[in-house]
Amino acid sequence: MGKLPCMRVSGFTVIRNAEIMGYPIVESIRSILPLVDEFVVGVGQSEDNTKKIIEGINSPKIKIFDSIWDKSKTQGGLILSEKTNEALNRCQNDWCFYLQADEVVHENDLPHIRQNLEKYENNKDVEGLLFEYVHFYGTYNVIGTARNWYRNEVRVIKRSSGAQSVGDAQGFRVQERKPNVAPSGAKIFHYGWVKPPSAMGEKNKHMFRWWHGNKYDDSFKDFAYKTAYGLRYFKGSHPQIMADLIAKQNWTFELKKGFSDWNRRDVKNWLSDVVEKVVGRRIGEHKNYVLLKKKGVL
């Protein structure tokens, strides 16, 4: 893929206990390596072979730094944005592409991302790029589409904007306001909810500790995926880099939930979809961004 000499891109992420958590971190990083000029990886102290796994990618673009995660920080998942900003602050270029350890980009989308990076590089109104999300749940052939699954998020930002990761690192803020963004023309494939049920329970146990300490550790011993309104079978194509992981799936999850099995959240999500079809928009949808296209700027 050709690059303009004046434009350079940094990738960045943070990772800890990659094996224990079952993250497709290698696939995640590799999915955008053709697009970036460097990839900064903050590796937290781990109880598995996380650092060796990252080193095994064996690319001169990878820049690893060691990061200490304070296990006493158990409020709101704030440790995640703190560590994300450590990686962001080490990026050398203005365009910075953030991927969480369970997020992968489709190879077919790389040219669209490159095109929009070039298009908006010198547009000072644009502080980031927005991506559509494909959330997988239970298996690699089921996706979540109800309103409890966020539809879009910012994954490329300009360092010159002063953008920083906030909260549990889902989004960014520019001096406490939402960043002004343009469409990336691409999707993020989110695989955070796809792994064997026992491994999913273990991952959730470790993640919940950044919000609640050890309070809910016992809640995930017998984790099982549950059907719900808004889960549908996936009909598209996965990033090619995920092929080996998908082929190794050795568990099943079937969608069998009927109206009689709905709970209050299912009813709420169904009603939300009905209203959206009538009025043409999702009322009350949380957005971590301001889409400039709708403001008439682009």
Side-chain angles (χ1 to χ4, degrees):
M1 185 181 301
K3 297 182 180 180
L4 294 179
C6 62
M7 188 183 78
R8 295 177 66 82
V9 183
S10 296
F12 69 106
T13 192
V14 296
I15 184 65
R16 180 176 179 271
N17 287 336
E19 288 181 304
I20 293 172
M21 304 288 276
Y23 286 130
I25 183 63
V26 172
E27 290 77 10
S28 176
I29 292 173
R30 285 192 179 279
S31 73
I32 65 166
L33 272 184
L35 189 69
V36 302
D37 299 278
E38 65 168 359
F39 203 118
V40 178
V41 185
V43 178
Q45 75 278 23
S46 299
E47 297 140 41
D48 58 17
N49 296 310
T50 295
K51 191 169 184 179
K52 289 184 179 179
I53 290 171
I54 303 303
E55 291 172 339
I57 296 174
N58 195 28
S59 168
K61 295 180 180 181
I62 303 293
K63 297 181 178 179
I64 300 172
F65 71 93
D66 294 317
S67 179
I68 302 300
W69 292 48
D70 185 348
K71 295 181 182 179
S72 69
K73 295 184 176 181
T74 59
Q75 297 296 318
L78 298 177
I79 189 74
L80 302 175
S81 58
E82 175 186 319
K83 296 304 165 182
T84 297
N85 286 326
E86 284 184 2
L88 170 58
N89 293 338
R90 285 170 169 77
C91 292
Q92 298 298 307
N93 303 302
D94 196 27
W95 278 128
C96 297
F97 198 146
Y98 174 51
L99 279 183
Q100 295 188 349
D102 52 15
E103 298 177 341
V104 180
V105 174
H106 201 294
E107 64 275 7
N108 291 344
D109 281 343
L110 295 180
H112 304 300
I113 300 170
R114 166 61 60 180
Q115 180 180 10
N116 284 307
L117 288 171
E118 294 172 350
K119 179 178 180 180
Y120 297 115
E121 180 186 15
N122 297 314
N123 187 327
K124 294 183 179 180
D125 292 320
V126 176
E127 298 168 327
L129 296 182
L130 189 69
F131 290 74
E132 295 180 34
Y133 265 71
V134 183
H135 298 280
F136 293 88
Y137 179 85
T139 72
Y140 293 105
N141 68 335
V142 173
I143 57 174
T145 63
R147 70 173 297 139
N148 54 295
W149 299 93
Y150 50 94
R151 297 192 289 184
N152 303 279
E153 196 50 87
V154 179
R155 281 296 174 263
V156 172
I157 56 96
K158 287 179 179 176
R159 285 191 67 217
S160 57
S161 72
Q164 290 281 282
S165 179
V166 294
D168 61 1
Q170 180 178 317
F172 294 87
R173 289 294 184 273
V174 176
Q175 297 179 351
E176 299 186 0
R177 64 167 173 79
K178 297 177 181 180
N180 297 313
V181 301
S184 68
K187 296 179 176 67
I188 297 291
F189 287 66
H190 177 215
Y191 295 101
W193 283 90
V194 182
K195 47 186 62 68
S198 59
M200 191 71 237
E202 188 69 9
K203 182 231 179 181
N204 283 345
K205 180 181 75 174
H206 284 272
M207 283 299 291
F208 264 59
R209 288 175 179 173
W210 299 117
W211 278 260
H212 310 288
N214 299 331
K215 184 177 179 181
Y216 295 105
D217 277 11
D218 292 338
S219 302
F220 303 105
K221 288 183 178 179
D222 300 310
F223 176 86
Y225 292 109
K226 299 178 180 179
T227 56
Y229 173 78
L231 295 179
R232 302 173 184 173
Y233 288 111
F234 178 58
K235 298 181 179 179
S237 67
H238 289 271
Q240 184 59 40
I241 203 164
M242 289 293 295
D244 288 345
L245 283 181
I246 293 171
K248 292 176 182 177
Q249 180 179 316
N250 59 2
W251 71 97
T252 60
F253 170 62
E254 301 295 333
L255 302 183
K256 297 181 179 179
K257 195 168 190 177
F259 292 106
S260 62
D261 299 316
W262 283 16
N263 58 28
R264 292 179 65 181
R265 188 169 76 167
D266 292 323
V267 174
K268 179 181 178 181
N269 285 336
W270 173 75
L271 287 173
S272 174
D273 279 357
V274 171
V275 172
E276 182 179 351
K277 289 178 180 178
V278 172
V279 303
R281 63 187 180 91
R282 184 170 287 183
I283 297 174
E285 181 178 15
H286 178 69
K287 298 178 180 179
N288 278 317
Y289 55 87
V290 175
L291 186 57
L292 291 175
K293 189 175 183 180
K294 290 190 174 182
K295 291 182 65 176
V297 175
L298 302 181

